[in-house]
Short mmCIF file of all heavy atoms in Angstrom, two decimals:
data_model
loop_
_atom_site.label_atom_id
_atom_site.label_comp_id
_atom_site.label_asym_id
_atom_site.label_seq_id
_atom_site.Cartn_x
_atom_site.Cartn_y
_atom_site.Cartn_z
N PHE A 1 0.12 1.33 7.55
CA PHE A 1 -1.25 1.50 6.85
C PHE A 1 -1.35 0.58 5.68
O PHE A 1 -2.41 -0.08 5.32
CB PHE A 1 -1.42 2.93 6.50
CG PHE A 1 -2.80 3.33 5.81
CD1 PHE A 1 -3.96 3.50 6.63
CD2 PHE A 1 -2.92 3.35 4.42
CE1 PHE A 1 -5.19 3.70 6.07
CE2 PHE A 1 -4.12 3.54 3.94
CZ PHE A 1 -5.25 3.79 4.75
N LEU A 2 -0.36 0.73 4.70
CA LEU A 2 -0.39 -0.01 3.43
C LEU A 2 -0.33 -1.51 3.53
O LEU A 2 -1.00 -2.20 2.88
CB LEU A 2 0.65 0.59 2.42
CG LEU A 2 0.54 1.89 1.93
CD1 LEU A 2 1.73 2.36 1.10
CD2 LEU A 2 -0.66 1.93 1.07
N ALA A 3 0.56 -1.94 4.57
CA ALA A 3 0.65 -3.32 4.78
C ALA A 3 -0.74 -3.91 5.30
O ALA A 3 -1.09 -5.00 4.89
CB ALA A 3 1.66 -3.65 5.75
N ALA A 4 -1.36 -3.21 6.25
CA ALA A 4 -2.65 -3.65 6.76
C ALA A 4 -3.63 -3.66 5.67
O ALA A 4 -4.49 -4.67 5.58
CB ALA A 4 -3.00 -2.71 7.99
N LEU A 5 -3.60 -2.61 4.94
CA LEU A 5 -4.62 -2.58 3.78
C LEU A 5 -4.33 -3.70 2.86
O LEU A 5 -5.44 -4.41 2.37
CB LEU A 5 -4.37 -1.31 3.00
CG LEU A 5 -5.26 -0.94 1.85
CD1 LEU A 5 -5.37 0.55 1.65
CD2 LEU A 5 -4.89 -1.46 0.52
N PHE A 6 -3.13 -4.01 2.51
CA PHE A 6 -2.91 -5.19 1.49
C PHE A 6 -3.40 -6.48 2.04
O PHE A 6 -4.08 -7.27 1.48
CB PHE A 6 -1.39 -5.35 1.23
CG PHE A 6 -1.10 -6.44 0.35
CD1 PHE A 6 -1.29 -6.40 -1.00
CD2 PHE A 6 -0.43 -7.53 0.88
CE1 PHE A 6 -1.06 -7.58 -1.79
CE2 PHE A 6 -0.26 -8.69 0.16
CZ PHE A 6 -0.50 -8.62 -1.32
N GLY A 7 -3.00 -6.78 3.40
CA GLY A 7 -3.41 -8.06 3.90
C GLY A 7 -4.89 -8.13 4.08
O GLY A 7 -5.42 -9.27 3.88
N ALA A 8 -5.48 -7.17 4.53
CA ALA A 8 -7.00 -7.12 4.75
C ALA A 8 -7.65 -7.33 3.25
O ALA A 8 -8.64 -8.02 3.30
CB ALA A 8 -7.57 -5.84 5.40
N ALA A 9 -7.33 -6.58 2.38
CA ALA A 9 -7.83 -6.73 0.99
C ALA A 9 -7.71 -8.16 0.46
O ALA A 9 -8.69 -8.64 -0.05
CB ALA A 9 -7.37 -5.62 0.13
N PHE A 10 -6.54 -8.57 0.63
CA PHE A 10 -6.28 -9.94 0.11
C PHE A 10 -7.28 -10.99 0.60
O PHE A 10 -7.88 -11.75 -0.01
CB PHE A 10 -4.82 -10.26 0.37
CG PHE A 10 -4.41 -11.53 -0.26
CD1 PHE A 10 -4.03 -11.70 -1.60
CD2 PHE A 10 -4.49 -12.68 0.41
CE1 PHE A 10 -3.68 -12.86 -2.10
CE2 PHE A 10 -4.10 -14.01 -0.08
CZ PHE A 10 -3.60 -14.01 -1.49
N PHE A 11 -7.27 -11.00 1.97
CA PHE A 11 -8.15 -12.02 2.58
C PHE A 11 -9.65 -11.68 2.47
O PHE A 11 -10.43 -12.62 2.54
CB PHE A 11 -7.74 -12.22 4.07
CG PHE A 11 -6.49 -13.13 4.19
CD1 PHE A 11 -5.15 -12.66 4.16
CD2 PHE A 11 -6.65 -14.53 4.19
CE1 PHE A 11 -4.04 -13.47 4.23
CE2 PHE A 11 -5.50 -15.41 4.36
CZ PHE A 11 -4.25 -14.81 4.27
N SER A 12 -10.00 -10.53 2.57
CA SER A 12 -11.42 -10.04 2.35
C SER A 12 -11.93 -10.52 1.01
O SER A 12 -13.04 -11.01 0.91
CB SER A 12 -11.60 -8.62 2.43
OG SER A 12 -12.90 -8.19 2.30
N ALA A 13 -11.11 -10.41 0.01
CA ALA A 13 -11.45 -10.74 -1.29
C ALA A 13 -11.68 -12.25 -1.47
O ALA A 13 -12.26 -12.70 -2.40
CB ALA A 13 -10.55 -10.21 -2.41
N ARG A 14 -11.14 -13.01 -0.53
CA ARG A 14 -11.20 -14.48 -0.50
C ARG A 14 -12.20 -14.99 0.57
O ARG A 14 -12.17 -16.14 0.90
CB ARG A 14 -9.91 -15.14 -0.32
CG ARG A 14 -9.02 -14.95 -1.61
CD ARG A 14 -7.54 -14.88 -1.39
NE ARG A 14 -6.83 -14.69 -2.67
CZ ARG A 14 -6.78 -13.60 -3.37
NH1 ARG A 14 -7.32 -12.50 -2.96
NH2 ARG A 14 -6.08 -13.59 -4.52
N GLY A 15 -13.11 -14.03 1.02
CA GLY A 15 -14.28 -14.50 1.76
C GLY A 15 -14.02 -14.58 3.24
O GLY A 15 -14.89 -15.14 3.99
N MET A 16 -12.96 -13.98 3.85
CA MET A 16 -12.83 -14.05 5.29
C MET A 16 -13.73 -13.12 5.85
O MET A 16 -14.21 -12.14 5.32
CB MET A 16 -11.35 -13.68 5.65
CG MET A 16 -11.08 -13.73 7.11
SD MET A 16 -9.22 -13.46 7.49
CE MET A 16 -8.71 -15.16 7.19
N SER A 17 -14.19 -13.47 7.26
CA SER A 17 -15.23 -12.55 7.97
C SER A 17 -14.54 -11.26 8.26
O SER A 17 -13.31 -11.17 8.26
CB SER A 17 -15.57 -13.32 9.30
OG SER A 17 -14.43 -13.40 10.06
N ALA A 18 -15.39 -10.31 8.57
CA ALA A 18 -14.98 -8.98 8.85
C ALA A 18 -14.00 -8.85 10.07
O ALA A 18 -12.91 -8.18 9.95
CB ALA A 18 -16.13 -7.98 9.10
N VAL A 19 -14.24 -9.73 11.07
CA VAL A 19 -13.40 -9.70 12.25
C VAL A 19 -12.07 -10.31 11.95
O VAL A 19 -11.04 -9.81 12.31
CB VAL A 19 -14.04 -10.46 13.43
CG1 VAL A 19 -13.11 -10.65 14.54
CG2 VAL A 19 -15.38 -9.80 13.89
N GLY A 20 -12.04 -11.40 11.10
CA GLY A 20 -10.89 -11.96 10.70
C GLY A 20 -9.96 -10.93 9.78
O GLY A 20 -8.73 -10.98 9.90
N VAL A 21 -10.75 -10.34 8.96
CA VAL A 21 -9.95 -9.49 8.07
C VAL A 21 -9.23 -8.18 8.85
O VAL A 21 -8.10 -7.88 8.56
CB VAL A 21 -11.00 -8.63 7.11
CG1 VAL A 21 -10.30 -7.45 6.34
CG2 VAL A 21 -11.45 -9.61 5.99
N LEU A 22 -9.97 -7.77 9.90
CA LEU A 22 -9.32 -6.74 10.85
C LEU A 22 -8.06 -7.30 11.43
O LEU A 22 -7.13 -6.62 11.60
CB LEU A 22 -10.29 -6.17 11.78
CG LEU A 22 -11.43 -5.24 11.12
CD1 LEU A 22 -12.36 -4.94 12.27
CD2 LEU A 22 -10.82 -4.12 10.49
N GLY A 23 -8.16 -8.57 11.96
CA GLY A 23 -7.16 -9.17 12.67
C GLY A 23 -5.95 -9.47 11.72
O GLY A 23 -4.85 -9.17 12.06
N ILE A 24 -6.26 -9.97 10.55
CA ILE A 24 -5.20 -10.23 9.57
C ILE A 24 -4.51 -8.95 9.13
O ILE A 24 -3.28 -8.79 9.04
CB ILE A 24 -5.87 -10.89 8.35
CG1 ILE A 24 -6.12 -12.34 8.62
CG2 ILE A 24 -4.72 -10.91 7.22
CD1 ILE A 24 -5.01 -13.18 9.18
N GLY A 25 -5.35 -7.79 9.06
CA GLY A 25 -4.80 -6.51 8.67
C GLY A 25 -3.78 -6.14 9.79
O GLY A 25 -2.76 -5.54 9.45
N LEU A 26 -4.23 -6.20 11.06
CA LEU A 26 -3.35 -5.83 12.19
C LEU A 26 -1.98 -6.53 12.15
O LEU A 26 -0.93 -5.96 12.28
CB LEU A 26 -3.98 -6.00 13.55
CG LEU A 26 -5.11 -5.02 13.93
CD1 LEU A 26 -5.74 -5.50 15.16
CD2 LEU A 26 -4.41 -3.71 14.23
N VAL A 27 -2.01 -7.95 11.92
CA VAL A 27 -0.77 -8.73 11.88
C VAL A 27 0.07 -8.32 10.64
O VAL A 27 1.31 -8.30 10.88
CB VAL A 27 -1.20 -10.22 11.80
CG1 VAL A 27 -0.09 -11.08 11.64
CG2 VAL A 27 -2.01 -10.68 13.03
N PHE A 28 -0.59 -8.16 9.51
CA PHE A 28 0.15 -7.72 8.43
C PHE A 28 0.94 -6.39 8.62
O PHE A 28 2.03 -6.10 8.33
CB PHE A 28 -0.65 -7.64 7.04
CG PHE A 28 -0.55 -8.71 6.11
CD1 PHE A 28 -1.55 -9.75 6.03
CD2 PHE A 28 0.53 -8.84 5.39
CE1 PHE A 28 -1.32 -10.80 5.15
CE2 PHE A 28 0.63 -9.92 4.37
CZ PHE A 28 -0.41 -10.92 4.46
N GLY A 29 0.21 -5.49 9.17
CA GLY A 29 0.67 -4.17 9.38
C GLY A 29 1.67 -3.91 10.46
O GLY A 29 2.66 -3.16 10.29
#
């Protein structure tokens, strides 16, 4: 949960799309 949260928040704050953020969160987690 925390790894996915960190990855998604990091890339979301840098302008990645919502779908991309979810995907990145999954990979991080």
Side-chain angles (χ1 to χ4, degrees):
F1 180 88
L2 289 174
L5 183 153
F6 175 78
F10 182 84
F11 278 92
S12 178
R14 285 152 180 78
M16 181 172 282
S17 68
V19 174
V21 165
L22 289 179
I24 290 299
L26 281 173
V27 176
F28 258 105

